[in-house]
Amino acid sequence: MTIQAAQDALFLARCNQLARLGGRHVFPNPCVGSVIVHDGHIIGEGWHQQVGGPHAEVNAVHSVKERTLLSQATLYVNLEPCSTHGRTPPCADLILESGIPRVVIGCMDPNPQVAGRGIKKLREAGVEVVLAEDPQPFIDLNKRFFVNQLLKRPYISLKWAQSANGQIASHHTDGQLKAVTITGYEARCLTHRLRAEHQAILVGRNTAAIDDPLLNNRHYYGGQPLRLVLDRHGKLSESLRLFHSPPDPVWLLTENSRQALPPHVEVKIFSPWPDSLTLLFQKLYQELGVCSILVEGGQEIHEQCLAEELFDELFVYQGNTAIMQGYPAARVPTGLSWPQPQSLGADHLWHFSLTRFHPLMPDRVSC
């Protein structure tokens, strides 16, 4: 690696650090950070701080005290500068107006309608544009945004907890399923962290009826997820705790209308009912703006998601006790390579994360 390439990698890594500061404040936009360097020294930094606010490149340029240095500087940014008017003017125009001669970009914008346009605009104006040798760290930072843009659906994480012998529930003597506690406090805290990190959490009718969960975040800092419940035929009891736990919203996804429910419960009618979960999730993203979902249950929904390859991450918790005469968990697809388990107190976690984004990137040569 040349000295220039090593320097580029260092400052791009700093862009990722800055980008993370945006966090949930920029949702559903991507996290973006920018650094301006002159003669090996950082003279300006910025990140996208909130939706509708100035972009990272704008904040970085405005942070430079000696503006005359911009004509000899390099701008680094983890995501391709925008080239079209949105809530703010195009960052590519600002770069050109500032006279910055060199731009180094972590990865291209994944939106097929705009990918490469910012790069093309800069190059046509004489700016030297360099793309990172390995775009994966920058894609990974905004993996949810990439899935939204390229697959036109929410980013989907599947999560379940199973006993030592692979069961998720047990049976009453009358044959009805009953909920059981499988994992401990550490696993519960991590689950609530996942809830805080996803826009929405989803369960099916059986899980809602059997577990009667609240589906909120009680053990981790951060916001509350939008709670989604699949109840195609509208059979869930109105006595469920979900329906009596304001103010955090609940969406009941059904093909039937329901009688009046508490104000925090919204009935979303899908008629006709989608033929697959893929179509349902696409509607949730494209029509209702749901960008990420943690699917917590139950087994049938997990199996459908796995069969339709409708997942981006998979979290499998395993307790250390067995459940006799239980109900089995979904099966991890045979094509997935099992990672090393993580210890969570007395429990274990297997975290599968799919790297599907690099092949979906637009051809860099076309730029």
Side-chain angles (χ1 to χ4, degrees):
M1 178 182 290
T2 66
I3 295 177
Q4 183 64 70
Q7 179 173 283
D8 288 347
L10 177 66
F11 291 124
L12 280 176
R14 175 59 178 164
C15 290
N16 263 10
Q17 289 180 331
L18 293 168
R20 291 187 178 93
L21 298 176
R24 293 177 63 95
H25 299 294
V26 303
F27 174 83
N29 292 344
C31 295
V32 184
S34 181
V35 173
I36 300 176
V37 175
H38 175 266
D39 197 22
H41 299 283
I42 294 176
I43 61 172
E45 291 186 333
W47 66 92
H48 186 34
Q49 299 179 10
Q50 62 183 17
V51 173
H55 286 187
E57 301 94 317
V58 176
N59 288 329
V61 168
H62 289 169
S63 74
V64 176
K65 294 181 179 179
E66 296 185 47
R67 300 295 288 271
T68 57
L69 297 179
L70 289 174
S71 62
Q72 307 166 51
T74 297
L75 182 143
Y76 295 85
V77 63
N78 59 293
L79 187 69
E80 176 183 3
C82 60
S83 59
T84 57
H85 281 272
R87 296 181 180 179
T88 60
C91 292
D93 288 357
L94 175 65
I95 294 171
L96 295 177
E97 293 166 4
S98 301
I100 296 172
R102 184 171 185 265
V103 175
V104 182
I105 298 169
C107 63
M108 294 171 60
D109 190 313
N111 187 337
Q113 302 301 317
V114 300
R117 292 187 178 182
I119 296 172
K120 182 179 180 181
K121 188 170 191 175
L122 293 172
R123 284 179 172 167
E124 288 181 345
V127 175
E128 178 189 357
V129 179
V130 178
L131 295 176
E133 287 296 321
D134 180 13
Q136 201 64 52
F138 312 100
I139 296 172
D140 289 343
L141 175 67
N142 286 304
K143 56 189 178 181
R144 299 181 184 190
F145 181 71
F146 273 73
V147 166
N148 294 162
Q149 293 296 318
L150 294 169
L151 301 182
K152 304 303 180 185
R153 64 160 173 80
Y155 187 90
I156 300 169
S157 300
L158 308 184
K159 171 265 170 184
W160 70 77
Q162 62 186 37
S163 66
N165 60 335
Q167 309 296 299
I168 60 173
S170 65
H171 288 88
H172 284 291
T173 54
D174 62 2
Q176 296 296 312
L177 290 175
K178 65 177 180 179
V180 292
T181 300
I182 295 175
T183 53
Y185 178 74
E186 293 86 353
R188 190 176 310 117
C189 287
L190 180 54
T191 294
H192 285 229
R193 173 182 172 177
L194 294 176
R195 291 178 178 181
E197 292 175 346
H198 286 74
Q199 182 188 1
I201 178 173
L202 180 143
V203 297
R205 183 180 65 83
N206 289 337
T207 298
I210 295 168
D211 293 355
D212 193 13
L214 286 172
L215 299 181
N216 56 12
N217 170 27
R218 303 182 300 279
H219 298 289
Y220 196 78
Y221 72 91
Q224 295 292 342
L226 169 65
R227 296 171 290 176
L228 311 177
V229 184
L230 288 179
D231 185 24
R232 177 178 178 179
H233 301 296
K235 294 182 178 180
L236 280 174
S237 168
E238 295 176 17
S239 65
L240 291 179
R241 294 192 298 167
L242 274 173
F243 298 150
H244 300 279
S245 58
D248 304 315
V250 175
W251 286 3
L252 187 68
L253 312 181
T254 181
E255 64 177 350
N256 301 310
S257 59
R258 289 284 300 254
Q259 59 187 28
L261 290 168
H264 75 288
V265 181
E266 294 186 40
V267 178
K268 302 294 183 181
I269 298 176
F270 294 84
S271 182
W273 188 256
D275 293 334
S276 66
L277 278 180
T278 298
L279 291 176
L280 176 62
F281 283 11
Q282 286 175 345
K283 286 180 175 290
L284 286 172
Y285 170 67
Q286 297 174 20
E287 299 177 12
L288 298 174
V290 178
C291 298
S292 66
I293 300 176
L294 175 64
V295 181
E296 286 210 21
Q299 187 255 19
E300 292 183 10
I301 292 178
H302 286 148
E303 291 282 10
Q304 289 181 56
C305 287
L306 293 170
E308 297 179 35
E309 297 186 357
L310 200 60
F311 67 100
D312 303 292
E313 290 187 83
L314 174 58
F315 298 84
V316 179
Y317 300 81
Q318 183 167 293
N320 60 2
T321 59
I323 296 176
M324 299 297 104
Q325 298 181 348
Y327 187 73
R331 292 187 177 184
V332 174
T334 56
L336 290 183
S337 176
W338 283 76
Q340 288 295 317
Q342 304 172 36
S343 294
L344 296 173
D347 308 316
H348 290 89
L349 167 67
W350 285 268
H351 174 211
F352 304 80
S353 182
L354 273 63
T355 304
R356 64 163 91 244
F357 315 106
H358 198 166
L360 294 174
M361 286 296 295
D363 184 357
R364 298 199 297 177
V365 177
S366 65
C367 300

